[in-house]
């Protein structure tokens, strides 16, 4: 068997969580391969809403196993908060959750470092979620990190204290006063205490060699779906660097983040919104800073699932979408939030970029180039509700035209159209 992949093609928040949840009944195992609690994946069903940060979005289906892979970084405190919320809702996530020994731990001082480094950047700050992502991956690649499999080591506390001391030295050097800085409304000491409490509770989880488990499961004919976090435009190599996250969000990240050979990658599903959003700083060629942008933000409830920050909104960007499709080897497209465009009599779509006299559909080295302008094509909107569409054949002709235009431009089929946040508001073509 092969590993299918669902990942985001834009700047994150495309609706990956909803689609993974919809696909879960088809799979035996769902696995997160990168990122950490910077992710916020929303799942809505039966009138209830859940936002997952570290736990894979297949957790609501008891028969499906959910793996937090080696490429993910874990803040145990945030993980247990998620587990508690699910338990309050009557679930037993510990039963079908598996955690890789090789996943790295986000320490409280990684979060402080994140805040200190961001504050030092001033106006050029990344707009990080401040969950400690950059500093934890830095320690991983700098070969200083602490992994889930180290929790039971005798030397765990000593390694923690040594790394903490190194972090605090950098924080002091930056001149960041963390005495008043709160981590999720807690002082550093209170956060650290709860963090250690959670570390102790980690021993009750199923901690495994996830790369062996996944490959053995595939050999036994089990089906696996890899769930991406963030989006391709936030990939550390190919995104709008330096305004990116610190992991490989693309299909290639599945191999290193789960221990899967490239031969074992199956179908790649690319999720994109019918428009674009971005949260945090960095270039965004189709951004709308006018009333249309506000209309998308309000209509799409575009406020961060993790931080609550308003998301920046703009028209669909085809050069960026084509670049993402190429990088990921996408086989099938899934278009989300078509309903948010209901209110627009006309809809624009970016077909090319213009820089000076040059018009190009290629994705540039530096998206931060201030002279870069989107070339927009205006299309007629459907300007009506999609609430009564229960089958794809019932969508307005103008929406079908919009989808056909995208398909022709990118050369791939849009196989699923999402017209609302609920599981059921999903049309298969
Ligand atoms: P993810 O990070 O990719 O999982 O996406 P988020 O959960 O951060 O953001 C997507 C938001 O859009 C969530 O609030 C979803 O409930 C919502 N959503 C998903 N699909 C649709 C859709 O088709 N229409 C509307 N209106 N909302 C949707
Ligand atoms: P999901 O999985 C949207 C953005 C942050 C910031 C940049 C770096 O829900 O799609 P980081 O905390 O990683 O250091 O932040 O990346 N970012 C996201 N934006 N969705 C996400 O995840 C994101 N995770 C990080 O806003 O601009
Ligand atoms: Mg999100």
């Amino acid at each position: 068997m092969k590993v299918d992949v669902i990942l985001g093609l834009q700047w994150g928040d495309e609706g990956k969580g909803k689609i993974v949840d919809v696909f879960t009944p088809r799979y035996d195992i769902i696995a997160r391969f990168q990122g950490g609690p910077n992710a916020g994946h929303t799942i809505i069903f039966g009138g209830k809403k859940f936002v997952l940060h570290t736990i894979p979005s297949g957790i609501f289906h008891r028969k499906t196993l959910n793996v937090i892979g080696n490429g993910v970084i874990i803040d145990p405190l945030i993980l247990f908060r998620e587990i508690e919320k699910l338990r309050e809702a009557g679930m037993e996530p510990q039963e079908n959750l598996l955690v890789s020994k090789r996943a790295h731990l986000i320490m409280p001082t990684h979060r402080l470092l994140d805040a200190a480094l961001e504050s030092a950047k001033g106006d050029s700050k990344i707009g990080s979620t401040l969950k400690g992502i950059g500093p934890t991956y830095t320690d991983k690649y700098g070969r200083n990190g602490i992994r889930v499999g180290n929790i039971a080591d005798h030397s765990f506390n000593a390694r923690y204290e040594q790394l903490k001391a190194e972090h605090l030295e950098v924080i002091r050097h930056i001149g960041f006063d963390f005495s008043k800085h709160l981590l999720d409304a807690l002082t550093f000491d209170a956060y650290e205490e709860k963090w250690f409490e959670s570390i102790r509770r980690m021993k009750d989880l199923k901690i495994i060699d996830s790369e062996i488990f996944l490959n053995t499961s595939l050999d036994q004919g089990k089906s696996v779906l890899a769930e991406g976090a963030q989006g391709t435009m936030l990939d550390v190599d190919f995104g709008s660097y330096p305004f990116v996250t610190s992991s490989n969000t693309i299909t290639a990240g599945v191999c290193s983040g789960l221990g899967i050979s490239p031969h074992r990658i199956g179908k790649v599903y690319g999720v994109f919104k019918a428009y674009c959003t971005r949260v945090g700083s960095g270039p965004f060629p189709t951004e709308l800073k006018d009333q249309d942008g506000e209309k998308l933000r309000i209509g799409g409830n575009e406020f961060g699932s993790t931080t609550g920050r308003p998301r920046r909104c703009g028209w669909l960007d085809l050069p960026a979408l084509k670049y993402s499709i190429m990088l990921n080897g996408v086989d099938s497209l899934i278009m989300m939030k078509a309903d948010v465009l209901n209110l627009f009599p006309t809809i624009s779509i970016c077909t090319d970029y213009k820089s000076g006299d040059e018009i190009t559909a290629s994705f540039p080295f530096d998206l931060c180039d201030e002279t870069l302008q989107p070339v927009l094509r205006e299309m007629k909107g459907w300007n009506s509700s999609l609430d009564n569409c229960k089958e794809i054949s019932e969508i307005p002709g103008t929406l079908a035209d919009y989808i056909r235009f995208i398909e022709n431009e990118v050369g791939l089929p849009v196989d699923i159209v999402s017209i609302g946040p609920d599981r059921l508001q999903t049309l298969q073509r």
Side-chain angles (χ1 to χ4, degrees):
M1 292 290 280
K2 295 201 165 186
V3 178
D4 291 342
V5 184
I6 286 186
L7 45 68
L9 299 178
Q10 296 162 321
W11 280 277
D13 303 330
E14 295 90 349
K16 301 174 291 291
K18 168 181 164 166
I19 291 300
V20 170
D21 170 66
V22 167
F23 274 43
T24 297
R26 305 181 199 173
Y27 291 91
D28 297 306
I29 300 166
I30 311 294
R32 272 276 305 269
F33 59 92
Q34 47 69 235
N38 47 350
H41 295 181
T42 313
I43 291 119
I44 298 178
F45 58 90
K48 286 194 196 135
K49 174 177 164 175
F50 298 92
V51 181
L52 298 171
H53 303 286
T54 320
I55 296 178
S57 301
I59 199 73
F60 302 99
H61 298 260
R62 284 166 204 256
K63 286 192 189 143
T64 306
L65 294 174
N66 287 263
V67 175
I68 300 177
N70 59 279
V72 177
I73 55 176
I74 300 174
D75 183 328
L77 190 156
I78 296 180
L79 174 61
F80 275 98
R81 257 194 222 145
E82 277 182 75
I83 290 176
E84 284 314 319
K85 276 208 182 129
L86 293 171
R87 292 182 114 185
E88 281 163 22
M91 277 166 282
E92 281 303 329
Q94 273 126 307
E95 295 302 313
N96 59 335
L97 182 68
L98 306 166
V99 183
S100 169
K101 279 182 194 164
R102 289 177 162 73
H104 279 242
L105 291 170
I106 302 175
M107 292 166 51
T109 42
H110 282 129
R111 293 198 58 176
L112 284 184
L113 257 180
D114 214 355
L117 293 165
E118 276 282 77
S119 77
K121 279 193 154 92
D123 285 346
S124 52
K125 70 174 189 232
I126 306 292
S128 159
T129 59
L130 301 181
K131 302 295 178 196
I133 304 298
T136 305
Y137 277 119
T138 301
D139 273 338
K140 171 176 173 172
Y141 291 103
R143 298 162 293 180
N144 293 314
I146 306 180
R147 301 187 287 177
V148 169
N150 294 126
I151 290 175
D153 293 353
H154 292 303
S155 59
F156 179 80
N157 281 1
R159 282 184 68 185
Y160 173 89
E161 289 302 333
Q162 189 192 338
L163 202 50
K164 174 182 167 183
E166 288 170 21
H167 292 161
L168 290 178
E169 204 172 310
V170 177
I171 289 164
R172 271 186 221 108
H173 180 76
I174 293 171
F176 181 74
D177 178 9
F178 68 90
S179 62
K180 293 181 203 79
H181 184 80
L182 296 180
L183 297 172
D184 299 350
L186 296 173
T187 62
F188 176 78
D189 289 344
Y191 196 91
E192 192 182 45
E193 199 183 316
K194 281 181 182 289
W195 189 89
F196 270 105
E197 238 173 74
S198 308
I199 284 286
R200 284 188 286 275
R201 292 181 67 190
M202 289 285 288
K203 289 170 195 145
D204 301 333
L205 295 181
K206 294 171 181 153
I207 310 287
I208 59 162
D209 291 299
S210 59
E211 68 287 7
I212 293 173
F213 171 75
L214 288 169
N215 281 290
T216 310
S217 300
L218 290 166
D219 290 342
Q220 291 168 347
K222 299 265 166 46
S223 52
V224 179
L225 176 67
E227 171 180 4
Q230 292 75 58
T232 304
M233 289 291 122
L234 292 170
D235 180 90
V236 67
D237 280 279
F238 301 104
S240 47
Y241 195 87
F243 300 98
V244 293
T245 190
S246 299
S247 64
N248 280 119
T249 61
I250 56 175
T251 305
V254 175
C255 296
S256 55
L258 293 179
I260 295 293
S261 129
H263 298 297
R264 289 200 122 151
I265 297 294
K267 199 159 178 184
V268 180
Y269 297 93
V271 186
F272 72 103
K273 276 179 195 170
Y275 49 97
C276 278
T277 63
R278 163 160 218 172
V279 59
S281 336
F284 182 2
T286 60
E287 182 170 14
L288 292 164
K289 293 183 175 159
D290 57 7
Q291 283 188 337
D292 280 345
E294 194 55 24
K295 218 161 133 181
L296 286 171
R297 185 156 35 251
I298 302 301
N301 190 23
E302 296 295 358
F303 296 89
S305 313
T306 298
T307 59
R309 291 178 291 177
R311 295 177 184 146
R312 298 154 65 193
C313 300
W315 299 122
L316 185 63
D317 182 334
L318 289 177
L321 191 64
K322 287 179 196 167
Y323 186 63
S324 295
I325 288 170
M326 176 192 81
L327 293 168
N328 290 300
V330 174
D331 298 296
S332 170
L333 289 168
I334 300 176
M335 186 171 96
M336 309 301 289
K337 303 188 93 159
D339 55 300
V340 178
L341 296 177
N342 290 354
L343 295 173
F344 290 84
T346 58
I347 297 165
S348 293
I349 186 161
C350 166
T351 54
D352 298 277
Y353 298 138
K354 187 169 192 274
S355 181
D357 291 335
E358 199 197 337
I359 291 184
T360 172
S362 336
F363 195 76
F365 164 69
D366 189 5
L367 201 58
C368 302
D369 177 357
E370 305 242 310
T371 64
L372 196 85
Q373 294 294 325
V375 178
L376 297 174
R377 177 191 167 109
E378 204 170 79
M379 298 182 72
K380 203 164 175 296
W382 44 100
N383 213 200
S384 60
S385 168
L386 302 177
D387 284 351
N388 292 327
C389 302
K390 303 294 175 219
E391 302 285 338
I392 197 73
S393 55
E394 293 166 2
I395 62 169
T398 28
L399 171 54
D401 289 345
Y402 186 68
I403 295 169
R404 218 169 293 123
F405 181 76
I406 296 167
E407 290 180 327
N408 284 339
E409 286 281 316
V410 305
L412 276 180
V414 174
D415 290 318
I416 291 174
V417 181
S418 173
I419 56 165
D422 194 275
R423 254 184 203 170
L424 301 175
Q425 293 168 300
T426 314
L427 307 178
Q428 313 256 354
R429 286 177 91 213

